[in-house]
Amino acid sequence: MYPILSVIKNTSRQFCLGAVGLMFSLHAMAQYDITPEDKKIFEQTKTAAQNNDAKAQYELAGMYLSGIGVLQNQNNAKLWAEKSAQAGNADAYSLLADITLISGDRTFTEEFVKAREYATKAVAGGSIRGKISLAETLITPESGDVDYPRAITLLEEVSALNDKDYFN
Protein backbone atom coordinates (compact mmCIF):
# COMPACT_ATOMS: atom_id res chain seq x y z
CA MET A 1 0.00 0.00 0.00
CA TYR A 2 1.23 3.49 -0.77
CA PRO A 3 2.24 5.43 2.39
CA ILE A 4 0.01 8.40 1.53
CA LEU A 5 -3.04 6.14 1.21
CA SER A 6 -2.33 4.69 4.64
CA VAL A 7 -2.17 8.21 6.13
CA ILE A 8 -5.43 9.21 4.42
CA LYS A 9 -7.11 6.01 5.59
CA ASN A 10 -6.01 6.50 9.21
CA THR A 11 -6.92 10.18 9.19
CA SER A 12 -10.37 9.51 7.79
CA ARG A 13 -10.94 6.73 10.35
CA GLN A 14 -9.98 9.10 13.19
CA PHE A 15 -12.22 11.80 11.77
CA CYS A 16 -15.17 9.40 11.56
CA LEU A 17 -14.63 8.18 15.11
CA GLY A 18 -14.41 11.79 16.29
CA ALA A 19 -17.65 12.62 14.50
CA VAL A 20 -19.40 9.65 16.09
CA GLY A 21 -18.13 10.77 19.51
CA LEU A 22 -19.35 14.30 18.88
CA MET A 23 -22.79 13.07 17.85
CA PHE A 24 -23.00 10.91 20.98
CA SER A 25 -22.01 13.90 23.12
CA LEU A 26 -24.61 16.13 21.46
CA HIS A 27 -27.24 13.44 21.94
CA ALA A 28 -26.35 13.14 25.64
CA MET A 29 -26.41 16.94 26.04
CA ALA A 30 -29.85 17.12 24.40
CA GLN A 31 -31.14 14.75 27.08
CA TYR A 32 -30.30 17.38 29.71
CA ASP A 33 -32.51 19.94 27.97
CA ILE A 34 -35.59 17.78 28.50
CA THR A 35 -37.26 18.90 31.70
CA PRO A 36 -39.27 16.47 33.82
CA GLU A 37 -42.35 18.65 33.25
CA ASP A 38 -41.94 18.55 29.49
CA LYS A 39 -41.31 14.80 29.59
CA LYS A 40 -44.52 14.31 31.61
CA ILE A 41 -46.54 16.42 29.16
CA PHE A 42 -45.00 14.49 26.28
CA GLU A 43 -45.97 11.15 27.83
CA GLN A 44 -49.54 12.31 28.49
CA THR A 45 -49.85 13.64 24.95
CA LYS A 46 -48.41 10.43 23.51
CA THR A 47 -50.94 8.34 25.47
CA ALA A 48 -53.83 10.44 24.14
CA ALA A 49 -52.39 10.28 20.61
CA GLN A 50 -52.12 6.49 20.79
CA ASN A 51 -55.82 6.48 21.75
CA ASN A 52 -56.65 8.15 18.40
CA ASP A 53 -57.10 11.72 19.68
CA ALA A 54 -56.41 13.74 16.50
CA LYS A 55 -55.55 16.93 18.41
CA ALA A 56 -53.10 15.03 20.62
CA GLN A 57 -51.56 13.43 17.52
CA TYR A 58 -51.03 16.90 16.06
CA GLU A 59 -49.54 18.19 19.33
CA LEU A 60 -47.29 15.11 19.57
CA ALA A 61 -46.05 15.75 16.03
CA GLY A 62 -45.17 19.30 17.07
CA MET A 63 -43.37 18.02 20.17
CA TYR A 64 -41.28 15.65 18.09
CA LEU A 65 -40.53 18.40 15.57
CA SER A 66 -39.51 20.89 18.27
CA GLY A 67 -37.91 18.47 20.70
CA ILE A 68 -40.26 19.27 23.57
CA GLY A 69 -40.16 16.49 26.17
CA VAL A 70 -38.39 14.20 23.71
CA LEU A 71 -35.40 14.28 21.39
CA GLN A 72 -36.19 15.93 18.07
CA ASN A 73 -37.24 13.43 15.47
CA GLN A 74 -38.54 14.69 12.15
CA ASN A 75 -39.62 11.23 11.00
CA ASN A 76 -41.82 10.70 14.07
CA ALA A 77 -43.17 14.23 13.69
CA LYS A 78 -44.22 13.43 10.15
CA LEU A 79 -45.78 10.08 11.10
CA TRP A 80 -47.92 11.63 13.87
CA ALA A 81 -48.88 14.59 11.69
CA GLU A 82 -50.01 12.15 8.98
CA LYS A 83 -52.17 10.25 11.50
CA SER A 84 -53.72 13.49 12.70
CA ALA A 85 -54.35 14.70 9.14
CA GLN A 86 -55.97 11.38 8.23
CA ALA A 87 -58.27 11.89 11.23
CA GLY A 88 -59.35 15.24 9.78
CA ASN A 89 -57.15 17.76 11.58
CA ALA A 90 -56.57 20.59 9.07
CA ASP A 91 -53.68 22.07 11.08
CA ALA A 92 -51.89 18.72 10.75
CA TYR A 93 -51.85 19.19 6.97
CA SER A 94 -50.17 22.55 7.56
CA LEU A 95 -47.58 20.88 9.79
CA LEU A 96 -46.97 18.25 7.11
CA ALA A 97 -46.40 21.02 4.58
CA ASP A 98 -43.93 22.71 6.92
CA ILE A 99 -42.07 19.47 7.66
CA THR A 100 -41.83 18.75 3.95
CA LEU A 101 -40.54 22.25 3.20
CA ILE A 102 -37.99 22.03 6.02
CA SER A 103 -36.66 18.64 5.00
CA GLY A 104 -37.14 18.94 1.26
CA ASP A 105 -34.26 18.54 -1.12
CA ARG A 106 -34.53 21.14 -3.87
CA THR A 107 -33.52 18.56 -6.47
CA PHE A 108 -36.71 16.58 -5.76
CA THR A 109 -39.49 18.96 -6.71
CA GLU A 110 -42.19 16.37 -6.05
CA GLU A 111 -41.60 16.91 -2.31
CA PHE A 112 -42.36 20.61 -2.69
CA VAL A 113 -45.39 19.89 -4.86
CA LYS A 114 -46.62 17.60 -2.06
CA ALA A 115 -46.03 20.41 0.47
CA ARG A 116 -48.32 22.67 -1.59
CA GLU A 117 -50.96 19.92 -1.70
CA TYR A 118 -50.79 19.56 2.09
CA ALA A 119 -51.06 23.32 2.58
CA THR A 120 -54.00 23.52 0.16
CA LYS A 121 -55.81 20.80 2.14
CA ALA A 122 -55.08 22.69 5.36
CA VAL A 123 -56.62 25.89 4.00
CA ALA A 124 -59.61 23.99 2.61
CA GLY A 125 -60.11 22.57 6.11
CA GLY A 126 -60.11 26.04 7.67
CA SER A 127 -56.56 26.11 9.05
CA ILE A 128 -55.16 29.57 9.64
CA ARG A 129 -51.68 28.09 9.90
CA GLY A 130 -52.37 26.49 6.55
CA LYS A 131 -52.64 29.92 4.97
CA ILE A 132 -49.10 30.71 6.07
CA SER A 133 -47.82 27.36 4.81
CA LEU A 134 -49.63 27.81 1.50
CA ALA A 135 -48.22 31.30 1.12
CA GLU A 136 -44.74 29.86 1.59
CA THR A 137 -45.31 27.21 -1.06
CA LEU A 138 -46.70 29.82 -3.44
CA ILE A 139 -43.37 31.65 -3.40
CA THR A 140 -41.31 28.46 -3.70
CA PRO A 141 -40.70 27.79 -7.41
CA GLU A 142 -40.03 24.09 -6.79
CA SER A 143 -43.63 23.60 -5.60
CA GLY A 144 -45.23 24.82 -8.83
CA ASP A 145 -46.21 28.13 -10.38
CA VAL A 146 -45.19 31.10 -8.24
CA ASP A 147 -48.13 33.29 -7.21
CA TYR A 148 -46.94 36.27 -5.16
CA PRO A 149 -50.28 38.15 -5.17
CA ARG A 150 -52.13 35.14 -3.75
CA ALA A 151 -49.37 34.56 -1.16
CA ILE A 152 -49.65 38.19 -0.05
CA THR A 153 -53.45 37.93 0.13
CA LEU A 154 -53.21 34.83 2.34
CA LEU A 155 -50.74 36.54 4.68
CA GLU A 156 -52.91 39.66 4.83
CA GLU A 157 -55.89 37.49 5.83
CA VAL A 158 -53.87 36.02 8.70
CA SER A 159 -52.58 39.45 9.69
CA ALA A 160 -56.12 40.87 9.68
CA LEU A 161 -57.02 38.49 12.50
CA ASN A 162 -54.78 40.65 14.69
CA ASP A 163 -54.66 37.85 17.27
CA LYS A 164 -51.16 37.81 18.70
CA ASP A 165 -52.08 34.94 21.05
CA TYR A 166 -53.13 32.60 18.22
CA PHE A 167 -49.59 31.41 17.55
CA ASN A 168 -48.45 31.03 21.16
Side-chain angles (χ1 to χ4, degrees):
M1 181 183 279
Y2 295 102
I4 191 70
L5 291 178
S6 178
V7 169
I8 291 171
K9 184 178 176 182
N10 287 333
T11 303
S12 65
R13 182 179 299 129
Q14 289 172 349
F15 178 75
C16 287
L17 289 174
V20 168
L22 176 63
M23 292 302 293
F24 180 77
S25 296
L26 291 174
H27 182 77
M29 282 176 39
Q31 288 286 67
Y32 291 121
D33 290 337
I34 299 173
T35 66
E37 297 82 21
D38 285 345
K39 181 70 174 168
K40 182 178 179 183
I41 293 168
F42 170 80
E43 291 299 334
Q44 291 169 344
T45 305
K46 185 175 181 182
T47 298
Q50 289 170 331
N51 289 321
N52 298 319
D53 180 332
K55 185 175 187 231
Q57 291 168 342
Y58 168 74
E59 290 171 358
L60 187 64
M63 294 173 99
Y64 272 116
L65 186 61
S66 302
I68 298 172
V70 66
L71 290 176
Q72 268 186 311
N73 186 319
Q74 217 169 40
N75 290 331
N76 283 348
K78 187 172 182 179
L79 290 172
W80 283 106
E82 286 172 346
K83 280 187 81 78
S84 182
Q86 289 169 356
N89 186 329
D91 283 333
Y93 281 111
S94 176
L95 186 57
L96 281 168
D98 294 342
I99 291 169
T100 304
L101 288 170
I102 290 168
S103 64
D105 181 343
R106 297 232 181 246
T107 58
F108 298 104
T109 57
E110 61 271 4
E111 291 179 34
F112 291 89
V113 170
K114 190 72 172 169
R116 186 176 288 184
E117 291 171 8
Y118 287 141
T120 301
K121 287 181 181 181
V123 171
S127 171
I128 295 168
R129 292 174 186 269
K131 290 182 180 187
I132 296 169
S133 299
L134 184 55
E136 187 174 353
T137 67
L138 289 170
I139 63 170
T140 304
E142 291 84 359
S143 66
D145 293 334
V146 174
D147 189 347
Y148 291 105
R150 184 164 175 227
I152 291 169
T153 299
L154 288 166
L155 295 174
E156 287 173 340
E157 289 172 9
V158 173
S159 178
L161 295 173
N162 199 24
D163 185 358
K164 63 182 178 205
D165 294 326
Y166 179 79
F167 295 101
N168 291 335

